Amino acid sequence: MQDVPAVRGQADLDARVERVFADDGPLTRAVAGFEPRPGQRDMAAAVARVFGRGGILLAEAGTGTGKTLAYLTPAILSGHRVVVSTGTKNLQEQIYFKDIPVLRDALGVPFTATYMKGRGNYLCLHRFAAMRDDIEAGSPADRVYLEMVDDWAAATGTGDRAELADLPEDVPFWAGIAASNENCIGSDCPEFDDCFVTLMRQRAAASDVVIVNHHLLCADAAVRQGAYGEVIPECAYAVIDEAHQLEDVATQYFGFSVSNYRIAELVRDFDRVMAGGTVADEDGELARSMSRADDRARLFFAALALARATAPASGPGGDERTRITAADLDSVQEPGASVLDALNALEALVALAKQPTEDLRAIGRRAGEIRDELRFLLEANDRDYVYYLERRGRGLFLRASPINVSSLVRNLLLDRFAAAVLTSATLAVEGSFAYVRSRLGVERCEELQLASEFDFASQALLYLPKRMPSPKTADFAPAAGREILDILRRTEGRAFVLFTSYSVLRAVQASLEGVLEYPLLVQGTAPRSTLLAQFRTTPHAVLLATSSFWQGVDVVGDALSCVIIDRLPFASPGDPVVSARVEAIASRGGDGFADLQVPLAILTLLQGLGRLIRHRQDRGILAILDPRIRTMPYGRRFLASLPPAPVSADPADIDRFFAAGSPGR
């Protein structure tokens, strides 16, 4: 790690942080209803210590601890630039728009803060100027949304599409006008000085607190690895919140991927550049070269789809991943080599073009990058990576992911900082940080585990029904439907029902429709944000959902009084990345199930159950239908990690729990 920069005297920092959280301190005076909490004070003191002497702090702060203010306060008072990374953009915005203003009022210390998102969240003025001319050529819906973006672009100061609340999340044209890295032409862009990404970086370079998300943090590390320059300004200190998500994000960003979508985007952008009339292609050689690359890529992905069909797939719904080896790719080597040759020729022609525009140069650079990644993927011989095919809708992706990201996280992320705090409400398994330390490459560190400030003994009941069939049998889904219906009638709806598979969700949905007396919301019928808004505003609503609702969802109060989980959330053993990691652990003499799959499932389960109790006045039922938590030896590990709520197998206890004082009953 870096050397520790001098802070304003360790004793002075400790004392100032302590005063902020005193009973009569600045936060108590500035924030209505603020109550200093012992866990919050302990965490703030630990963060101040690690900022002073350097190193790494692992801090599990249970729900209700107030960990955000606990790490932001010493970060601000340290006097040095600090990067705060979150697992979700929602938490980013909460910190920037809610917590930072609170501390600005309370601390009486001048400081600046900004937030940075991935480039794809920002409008590219250069690309939008080119698309604006085509507004009339689009569909009626596209024209409406493009005109909305046009009006907004003239007024926005950030270019962050989050400001456009009425712009659908999946609007098709956004990819064509987003400031993505692949499309950027850098300082040669005519809009460079006014570019929203340029302005974002300038604000960050002048800020004391820089709020990013894990995707951008890892993207920045990957860019630095390739010597293309930094995205996030240099920071001495880092706080990584929602750190339980870091391994998954790092796995994505330090891997390789080539898809038919990526080729199609290259072709589309080439056509747009050529349609502008600023590139000379008198003999049509450039256009023929691009067309040749497109045709060969189509043949390659068709052959790849046939190769995929010969191996078993894994994954929920339409997301199917098939592990492959070099031998599995023998049948696509010839069409793959043709694509490599075509991309190589395209890159060379762009380099030889007379007076090429920067947009055309970017096309050549992208062709070279795709060629290099595809060559690596076709060789499929690096033992540190697992290779697989993934089908998403109409997209076919050839991917390679690192089997173990611990050294990458340590060398490319953690070692960049003099001090780093990794925190989450769920980091420890059975009271130990051993699992997360091994996955993230954390060696020497300080550890802090803070219990939740909530009284689970009175606020929650853990319900484990009797006589449920094994989740591996066909009887499970019908039995789950009957059990869920009974629970929902006792709770009068007001529930999240979280599933590990779409098939069980659909079966339960079919069993509830027309029978359940309460409004039923189902993932996939509307955007996630819309479903959450409907749930919060619809009395007695029930939401059926899968993985994307297990984390980062916050519903305070009576609207959510029950969380039902159908099965223990084990990752599919057939998933390519999971299977490769299990094999790697076994090769070292470990037990992949006990050392990887069980701890990962425990942390996932805790995240799902964590949706329920978000405030001291919240009360509710935690229900787990999977009988293995009671019948299998590893079930004790799950139970040992759960909140200390009373446990019952008697459904009548649900009625008694609510009769004892649940709000709204």
Side-chain angles (χ1 to χ4, degrees), residues 188-212:
D188 293 311
C189 178
E191 302 286 352
F192 180 77
D193 290 338
D194 296 322
C195 171
F196 293 119
V197 173
T198 300
L199 297 175
M200 173 187 69
R201 288 177 173 175
Q202 290 172 349
R203 287 193 299 269
S207 293
D208 302 303
V209 180
V210 181
I211 306 159
V212 304

Side-chain angles (χ1 to χ4, degrees), residues 105-309:
D105 291 340
L107 297 182
V109 174
F111 70 93
T112 54
T114 193
Y115 69 92
M116 305 177 74
K117 297 180 181 178
R119 299 180 59 112
N121 292 280
Y122 297 92
L123 176 71
C124 174
L125 293 170
H126 178 56
R127 291 169 63 77
F128 184 59
M131 181 177 283
R132 188 187 292 113
D133 298 334
D134 299 329
I135 287 179
E136 294 304 320
S139 68
D142 279 354
R143 288 199 297 272
V144 170
Y145 290 129
L146 278 168
E147 288 170 1
M148 178 195 303
V149 173
D150 195 18
D151 292 339
W152 164 74
T156 179
T158 68
D160 182 357
R161 67 164 293 172
E163 296 176 352
L164 285 168
D166 295 330
L167 186 70
E169 296 175 14
D170 57 351
V171 67
F173 65 76
W174 180 262
I177 59 174
S180 62
N181 187 59
E182 282 199 334
N183 300 320
C184 183
I185 58 177
S187 58
D188 293 311
C189 178
E191 302 286 352
F192 180 77
D193 290 338
D194 296 322
C195 171
F196 293 119
V197 173
T198 300
L199 297 175
M200 173 187 69
R201 288 177 173 175
Q202 290 172 349
R203 287 193 299 269
S207 293
D208 302 303
V209 180
V210 181
I211 306 159
V212 304
N213 55 56
H214 298 346
H215 291 270
L216 185 59
L217 186 71
C218 290
D220 175 66
V223 166
R224 291 170 188 260
Q225 185 184 23
Y228 286 111
E230 66 183 33
V231 177
I232 302 170
E234 286 293 336
C235 298
Y237 301 143
V239 177
I240 300 176
D241 201 347
E242 299 177 313
H244 63 279
Q245 298 184 31
L246 186 58
E247 182 184 16
D248 283 345
V249 178
T251 299
Q252 172 186 340
Y253 272 90
F254 296 122
F256 301 90
S257 175
V258 173
S259 67
N260 57 334
Y261 285 165
R262 191 172 175 187
I263 298 291
E265 288 171 1
L266 181 71
V267 174
R268 180 199 65 206
D269 291 340
F270 174 84
D271 290 343
R272 183 174 296 156
V273 169
M274 302 306 291
T278 57
V279 176
D281 187 27
E282 296 174 359
D283 59 0
E285 186 60 25
L286 275 172
R288 286 193 296 275
S289 179
M290 184 75 260
S291 178
R292 190 159 48 246
D294 186 21
D295 291 341
R296 292 182 179 181
R298 291 176 188 274
L299 292 173
F300 168 71
F301 282 103
L304 201 59
L306 290 176
R308 170 184 167 275

Side-chain angles (χ1 to χ4, degrees), residues 443-482:
E443 296 173 347
R444 291 177 297 178
C445 67
E446 180 179 346
E447 297 178 354
L448 179 67
Q449 188 173 9
L450 301 168
S452 171
E453 295 285 331
F454 300 141
D455 180 9
F456 284 96
S458 63
Q459 289 183 251
L461 173 71
L462 177 61
Y463 174 61
L464 306 178
K466 294 179 180 178
R467 293 184 290 276
M468 284 292 294
S470 167
K472 297 180 180 180
T473 67
D475 295 332
F476 180 76
R482 292 189 295 272

Side-chain angles (χ1 to χ4, degrees), residues 339-390:
V339 177
L340 296 176
D341 289 342
L343 292 170
N344 196 57
L346 177 62
E347 182 187 34
L349 278 174
V350 170
L352 295 172
K354 296 180 180 179
Q355 299 180 327
T357 64
E358 289 304 322
D359 288 313
L360 184 61
R361 290 184 191 276
I363 295 292
R365 172 179 56 78
R366 289 166 59 187
E369 291 171 352
I370 296 172
R371 175 204 60 217
D372 293 344
E373 291 194 40
L374 181 58
R375 181 180 292 119
F376 174 83
L377 290 162
L378 287 171
E379 290 172 352
N381 59 6
D382 191 320
R383 293 184 178 182
D384 291 332
Y385 288 82
V386 56
Y387 297 81
Y388 55 100
L389 296 172
E390 181 174 354

Side-chain angles (χ1 to χ4, degrees), residues 19 28 107 179 251 365 416 442 460 481 494 513 524 591 618 635:
R19 283 197 296 272
T28 302
L107 297 182
T251 299
R365 172 179 56 78
R416 282 173 42 201
V442 177
R494 306 181 299 158
E513 287 178 334
D591 183 330
D618 288 348

